[in-house]
Amino acid sequence: MTTIITVTSGKGGVGKTTTSASIASGLALRGFKTAVIDFDVGLRNLDLIMGCERRVVYDFVNVIQGDANLHQALIKDKHCDNLFVLPASQTRDKDALTEEGVEKVLKELEHQGFDYIICDSPAGIEHGAVMALTFADEAIVVTNPEVSSVRDSDRILGIIQSKSRRAIEGREPVKEHLLVTRYSPKRAHEGEMLTYTDIQELLRIPLLGVIPESEAVLQASNQGIPAIHQKATPVADAYQDAIGRFLGETHPLRFVEYEKPGLIKRLFGGK
Amino acid sequence: MSWLSLIFGEKKSTASVAKERLQLIIAHERTCASGPEFLPDLQKDLVAVISKYFPVNPDDIKVGLEKQGNYEVLEVNIVLPEGR
């Protein structure tokens, strides 16, 4: 059984690609055969975040149009044995992403025995974003604690509920998960930032995890290594917890409570 | 801050302002989104049912959703052919 997970948000810059890379890597690390597909035709970036940009020969659109087969286009990840990346093309022709074409590629991945397919959605609610969610079984909605992100997440949830195949065919609806990213417990504690419970109340979908704001994310993307590999950082641990919860495990939320720095820390500084 | 805020009254945190604004706009946009999607289908179905009894022109059946205060009003306007 293949599960198709769409990582989406509506708004840009909230951490969709970072999340796609880390969730895909995390699932692969747990032994699942996983593919991660960049749906952002014209603005591909998943390859950079995964650190495989120099190994891109063929892309998603090449496979759809029959210029290459899937085997030629899939890039094997450097860090995980059973993880493969399918990059987006850099052509500007967004209509190259046809519904039949996307379905064909997903079916083929299913035949090849993939356990999980992660669809990294582009921002917006246009064709590419709709294609990324059309075949979803589950959706991870990435949201920042910020008004425009929350509103756009609600919009994209509406689109999932009306345009996904599951919705159109009247099957069991797409399972939705909320992932709050770039969260600052201190600012939330001080009333400067929406809390994760506020966001969950507004969007009314189950919370998969809270990823704290962290320097580690930039450090990871600088090097082309998914953030989940940044050992012993709160971001990596929070992603691991989220993956565990996705797989049905229970993990208490970490990195969401603000701890006042002690006297010694205040005197001597430190991060 | 504490005694000052006691004297001048606590200022609302910006996060709670954000939450209130989002509650309003999201509720509003959800009702808008659920409207237009089903209206064309409803219109088609009404045409099909009514034309069983009257020969009506599909354009003479108009369906609209309107918001009046706290109520949503579904307006169906059917013009029957003359000379029956």
Side-chain angles (χ1 to χ4, degrees), chain A residues 13 19 97 134 136 172 200 239 262:
Chain A
T19 296
L97 227 54
T134 298
E172 199 183 320
Q200 201 191 353
Y239 272 120

mmCIF file of all heavy atoms in Angstrom, chain A residues 13 19 97 134 136 172 200 239 262:
data_model
loop_
_atom_site.group_PDB
_atom_site.id
_atom_site.type_symbol
_atom_site.label_atom_id
_atom_site.label_comp_id
_atom_site.label_asym_id
_atom_site.label_seq_id
_atom_site.Cartn_x
_atom_site.Cartn_y
_atom_site.Cartn_z
ATOM 1 N N GLY A 13 7.021 30.415 1.676
ATOM 2 C CA GLY A 13 8.060 30.722 2.651
ATOM 3 C C GLY A 13 7.786 30.265 4.073
ATOM 4 O O GLY A 13 8.422 30.725 5.014
ATOM 5 N N THR A 19 10.016 21.045 5.289
ATOM 6 C CA THR A 19 9.219 19.985 5.901
ATOM 7 C C THR A 19 9.183 18.746 5.017
ATOM 8 O O THR A 19 9.367 17.624 5.502
ATOM 9 C CB THR A 19 7.792 20.496 6.185
ATOM 10 O OG1 THR A 19 7.882 21.553 7.140
ATOM 11 C CG2 THR A 19 6.887 19.411 6.706
ATOM 12 N N LEU A 97 2.172 19.912 -16.318
ATOM 13 C CA LEU A 97 1.755 19.041 -15.218
ATOM 14 C C LEU A 97 0.287 18.667 -15.413
ATOM 15 O O LEU A 97 -0.589 19.250 -14.800
ATOM 16 C CB LEU A 97 1.929 19.810 -13.908
ATOM 17 C CG LEU A 97 2.614 19.143 -12.731
ATOM 18 C CD1 LEU A 97 3.972 18.605 -13.093
ATOM 19 C CD2 LEU A 97 2.756 20.132 -11.588
ATOM 20 N N THR A 134 -4.263 16.820 -5.502
ATOM 21 C CA THR A 134 -5.342 16.050 -6.127
ATOM 22 C C THR A 134 -5.364 14.586 -5.678
ATOM 23 O O THR A 134 -6.418 14.033 -5.392
ATOM 24 C CB THR A 134 -5.214 16.126 -7.667
ATOM 25 O OG1 THR A 134 -5.360 17.488 -8.058
ATOM 26 C CG2 THR A 134 -6.285 15.296 -8.361
ATOM 27 N N ALA A 136 -3.858 13.207 -3.008
ATOM 28 C CA ALA A 136 -3.415 13.020 -1.626
ATOM 29 C C ALA A 136 -4.287 12.033 -0.855
ATOM 30 O O ALA A 136 -5.503 11.988 -1.015
ATOM 31 C CB ALA A 136 -3.413 14.368 -0.910
ATOM 32 N N GLU A 172 -13.429 8.307 1.545
ATOM 33 C CA GLU A 172 -13.023 8.829 2.851
ATOM 34 C C GLU A 172 -12.158 10.073 2.631
ATOM 35 O O GLU A 172 -11.249 10.042 1.805
ATOM 36 C CB GLU A 172 -12.219 7.738 3.574
ATOM 37 C CG GLU A 172 -12.127 7.962 5.057
ATOM 38 C CD GLU A 172 -11.265 6.896 5.709
ATOM 39 O OE1 GLU A 172 -11.382 5.718 5.296
ATOM 40 O OE2 GLU A 172 -10.493 7.237 6.597
ATOM 41 N N GLN A 200 -4.589 25.915 16.182
ATOM 42 C CA GLN A 200 -5.366 24.687 16.058
ATOM 43 C C GLN A 200 -6.857 24.963 16.225
ATOM 44 O O GLN A 200 -7.684 24.396 15.517
ATOM 45 C CB GLN A 200 -4.886 23.685 17.106
ATOM 46 C CG GLN A 200 -5.264 22.274 16.734
ATOM 47 C CD GLN A 200 -5.035 21.313 17.859
ATOM 48 O OE1 GLN A 200 -4.476 21.665 18.902
ATOM 49 N NE2 GLN A 200 -5.473 20.096 17.664
ATOM 50 N N TYR A 239 10.895 17.293 14.373
ATOM 51 C CA TYR A 239 10.479 16.570 13.161
ATOM 52 C C TYR A 239 10.376 15.073 13.429
ATOM 53 O O TYR A 239 9.448 14.409 12.962
ATOM 54 C CB TYR A 239 11.439 16.847 11.994
ATOM 55 C CG TYR A 239 11.057 18.072 11.178
ATOM 56 C CD1 TYR A 239 11.916 19.149 11.052
ATOM 57 C CD2 TYR A 239 9.819 18.136 10.524
ATOM 58 C CE1 TYR A 239 11.571 20.270 10.310
ATOM 59 C CE2 TYR A 239 9.460 19.258 9.778
ATOM 60 C CZ TYR A 239 10.335 20.314 9.669
ATOM 61 O OH TYR A 239 9.973 21.418 8.940
ATOM 62 N N GLY A 262 17.704 30.967 33.756
ATOM 63 C CA GLY A 262 18.104 31.060 35.153
ATOM 64 C C GLY A 262 19.081 32.202 35.357
ATOM 65 O O GLY A 262 19.540 32.832 34.410
#
